[in-house]
Amino acid sequence: MKKILLSLIILNILLITAFANSSSTFKVKIQNKDVSVKTAKVEVDGENYSKEFLPFIKDGRTFVAIREISEGLGAKCEWDGDKKSVLIKMDDKEIKMKIDSTVVYINDERKKVDKSSQPKLVLYKNPRQETKTMVPLRFISETFGYDVSWDKDTNMVKISTIKAEGIRDDSTDENTKDSKEAKKSSSSKNNGSKKSVEKDYTTNSIVKNVFQSVEEVRETKSFESKISKGGKEEAYKAVGLNIDDFKEEERVIKKKIVADGKIKIVIDPGHGGKDRGATACDNETYEKDYVLEVATKLYDKMQNTPYEILITRSRDEFIKLQDRASLSNENNAHLFLSIHFNSAPNKDANGIEVLYASEKNVKIKTVEQKYFAKEILDALIEETGAVNRGIKNRTNLIVLNKTKNVSALAELGFISNEEELEKIKSDEYIDKLVEGLYKGINSYIDKYVEE
Ligand SMILES: [Zn+2]
């Protein structure tokens, strides 16, 4: 009897799966009613975002499971079961929404969404019976300032997390109306031409609240578009990966690195050459020089360890992001550490943060990523006493999402902040940063590498 029951269940699962795959609609329960919804596809930064609980379209709005999309965008979410409300946080932005309500709060400011966009509790039948909190994708993405586009032939929603907030444009904000109007009229002139549809990134940008140079943004954009246009194999090759090596269904995620042979570490000073990185608030020094100083000192210090140390650049030269990832992948390095300084339009912003790309989002990773970022951050804060801005999941950076090993990117302080820049300009502080990185790497290896 048990056997029959089991095979019936298996048959049932097979039938349901077959049905789900062959159809572009599926059934869910909303407010206890059976509802048929249209399957949607979602892509974040050129990577397919297919989740176990499929996104869907209802009344012309695309809905995604809150927990999964906030992971995809690198945001945090909290669910309050009593109040039936969700809180989605990313850095300084906060969205509060309530189930079956059109009222939303963005940083405590009351706003309204249209009725078809209100969050819902949805009971899925596949891949298992489970109630999910579903939120409107476009509203969330646009509130965080991301570009959302929609391809109705394929039911594909594409989200780009690159924001075109030019830092160098800051000064023009304080200019008179005239320049703003001049800008307006020049942009409306361009509206007719095809070129204005595609954004041309001519300034540095804030991407998920992290400074990126114009060169980085351009390369990341063109890399993403290559992937989304089907050139995944070629794109993988450019970063030293073989697409056949990454089968998600065969992936096993480990907490620790198992190193056979010598531990290899890549140190990656960001920017260089024509890519100067952020310009300091003194208007005469650049991120690329500070990171090189830290990285070369760290490289020298690491020679005292038994590890093999590689460095992506040891002088002022331009190196593509893909070549940085490629160096790491082709050498089968165990650790990759990118070194940067930060910059923000808000001149008060200061402190250290360390970024990583979670293995939950980046499917080529086989080791849990956050511990490396955490060890680096803790050691840096201990050494410098700087403001602790935490570790952050940032899945849109090539050096993090196209390196197959454990990787982190340390933002060692804001050179847009006068006080922090003063410190960074001193040898003693640079030495503290180097010491912090050195201790962080060693402490990670002690705890998380098995030889
Ligand atoms: Zn940088």
Side-chain angles (χ1 to χ4, degrees):
M1 185 59 190
K2 256 192 186 160
K3 247 188 187 167
I4 294 171
L5 197 62
L6 191 67
S7 49
L8 270 176
I9 290 170
I10 289 170
L11 185 67
N12 209 6
I13 289 170
L14 285 174
L15 280 173
I16 290 165
T17 322
F19 180 72
N21 286 341
S22 66
S23 165
S24 61
T25 62
F26 61 98
K27 288 226 165 94
V28 290
K29 259 191 177 153
I30 302 174
Q31 292 183 330
N32 248 331
K33 273 184 229 143
D34 280 318
V35 181
S36 177
V37 291
K38 221 190 265 175
T39 311
K41 285 180 220 134
V42 177
E43 210 179 73
V44 181
D45 295 331
E47 290 281 357
N48 187 17
Y49 170 88
S50 59
K51 291 284 156 175
E52 49 174 352
F53 296 95
L54 292 175
F56 64 75
I57 302 161
K58 189 174 180 298
D59 302 329
R61 297 278 179 267
T62 306
F63 283 85
V64 286
I66 172 75
R67 213 161 285 277
E68 294 172 355
I69 192 62
S70 39
E71 251 172 35
L73 296 175
K76 277 187 187 147
C77 81
E78 287 163 26
W79 163 246
D80 185 332
D82 294 334
K83 290 183 182 156
K84 292 210 165 11
S85 69
V86 285
L87 181 66
I88 310 165
K89 268 196 229 175
M90 179 131 56
D91 300 318
D92 54 353
K93 216 161 212 174
E94 225 181 63
I95 309 174
K96 229 181 267 174
M97 304 186 96
K98 221 177 151 180
I99 296 300
D100 301 326
S101 165
T102 56
V103 178
V104 297
Y105 290 89
I106 300 171
N107 287 359
D108 289 328
E109 198 184 319
R110 192 176 193 268
K111 299 233 159 100
K112 276 201 149 191
V113 293
D114 59 291
K115 202 156 174 25
S116 43
S117 288
Q118 58 190 28
K120 313 173 192 312
L121 287 177
V122 174
L123 177 64
Y124 274 78
K125 292 167 190 168
N126 285 316
R128 59 184 175 273
Q129 185 131 334
E130 197 169 314
T131 302
K132 305 297 288 180
T133 306
M134 304 298 286
V135 291
L137 179 63
R138 179 178 284 270
F139 172 75
I140 305 274
S141 305
E142 287 184 346
T143 303
F144 286 133
Y146 301 152
D147 282 344
V148 179
S149 62
W150 162 247
D151 182 348
K152 70 174 191 298
D153 294 333
T154 53
N155 281 346
M156 169 87 84
V157 184
K158 290 183 180 180
I159 300 168
S160 167
T161 62
I162 293 180
K163 294 182 200 177
E165 282 175 27
I167 283 186
R168 284 179 195 155
D169 265 2
D170 251 20
S171 53
T172 58
D173 285 350
E174 276 130 48
N175 284 354
T176 51
K177 261 187 188 168
D178 296 345
S179 76
K180 270 190 186 162
E181 255 146 44
K183 251 192 196 168
K184 230 191 233 168
S185 70
S186 79
S187 69
S188 61
K189 257 183 225 159
N190 286 333
N191 273 353
S193 76
K194 222 181 174 185
K195 250 195 169 165
S196 69
V197 179
E198 268 186 37
K199 270 195 188 135
D200 183 23
Y201 294 93
T202 51
T203 59
N204 298 320
S205 299
I206 303 293
V207 183
K208 285 186 178 173
N209 283 349
V210 176
F211 172 89
Q212 282 196 21
S213 68
V214 53
E215 285 80 9
E216 288 177 325
V217 172
R218 274 211 194 113
E219 188 187 338
T220 308
K221 266 277 157 193
S222 80
F223 196 83
E224 278 165 18
S225 88
K226 193 186 270 176
I227 290 178
S228 77
K229 282 175 188 148
K232 200 166 181 175
E233 204 167 332
E234 200 189 323
Y236 266 54
K237 216 183 250 172
V239 292
L241 296 174
N242 185 350
I243 201 163
D244 299 328
D245 293 342
F246 300 97
K247 297 204 173 72
E248 209 189 323
E249 58 280 11
E250 288 167 20
R251 186 167 73 134
V252 181
I253 295 168
K254 295 194 181 116
K255 191 167 177 175
K256 294 183 176 183
I257 294 174
V258 182
D260 42 356
K262 215 172 186 182
I263 294 168
K264 282 187 202 169
I265 304 164
V266 177
I267 298 171
D268 173 46
H271 315 283
K274 66 176 178 183
D275 175 5
R276 296 185 295 196
T279 303
C281 58
D282 61 10
N283 275 321
E284 56 188 23
T285 55
Y286 302 104
E287 182 189 356
K288 66 171 185 175
D289 298 316
Y290 294 118
V291 296
L292 187 62
E293 199 185 336
V294 172
T296 47
K297 280 188 170 173
L298 178 63
Y299 179 83
D300 290 344
K301 202 174 168 72
M302 291 300 292
Q303 302 308 317
N304 306 325
T305 65
Y307 318 131
E308 185 179 339
I309 313 298
L310 304 159
I311 192 161
T312 53
R313 70 175 178 101
S314 50
R315 58 189 179 90
D316 184 19
E317 63 180 322
F318 177 73
I319 310 247
K320 281 173 126 187
L321 298 170
Q322 341 186 344
D323 295 336
R324 297 167 193 258
S326 187
L327 176 87
S328 179
N329 290 330
E330 280 176 358
N331 282 288
N332 288 313
H334 300 92
L335 294 171
F336 182 96
L337 177 64
S338 197
I339 296 169
H340 288 253
F341 284 91
N342 220 335
S343 174
N346 172 8
K347 301 294 173 224
D348 294 333
N350 70 97
I352 296 175
E353 61 195 42
V354 181
L355 317 178
Y356 67 98
S358 170
E359 66 290 343
K360 289 177 191 159
N361 312 106
V362 177
K363 308 297 182 189
I364 62 172
K365 305 275 193 187
T366 52
V367 178
E368 285 183 51
Q369 300 288 305
K370 66 178 175 209
Y371 303 111
F372 186 40
K374 184 84 173 74
E375 292 299 326
I376 297 283
L377 179 73
D378 287 351
L380 282 168
I381 299 300
E382 168 105 35
E383 286 305 315
T384 63
V387 167
N388 185 340
R389 297 173 61 91
I391 59 168
K392 294 175 178 177
N393 181 17
R394 289 290 177 270
T395 57
N396 57 336
L397 306 168
I398 290 178
V399 292
L400 298 182
N401 71 22
K402 290 294 173 289
T403 42
K404 62 184 174 183
N405 57 1
V406 172
S407 57
L409 187 154
E411 292 278 5
L412 296 175
F414 285 75
I415 57 174
S416 50
N417 177 288
E418 251 174 63
E419 267 174 56
E420 200 152 41
L421 178 66
E422 263 333 290
K423 285 197 281 173
I424 291 163
K425 280 184 170 175
S426 75
D427 286 344
E428 300 82 68
Y429 195 75
I430 291 286
D431 289 343
K432 283 181 184 174
L433 290 169
V434 172
E435 184 71 18
L437 294 169
Y438 177 82
K439 284 188 176 159
I441 293 170
N442 282 297
S443 149
Y444 176 82
I445 293 172
D446 284 348
K447 293 182 192 169
Y448 297 98
V449 180
E450 282 171 9
E451 285 171 82

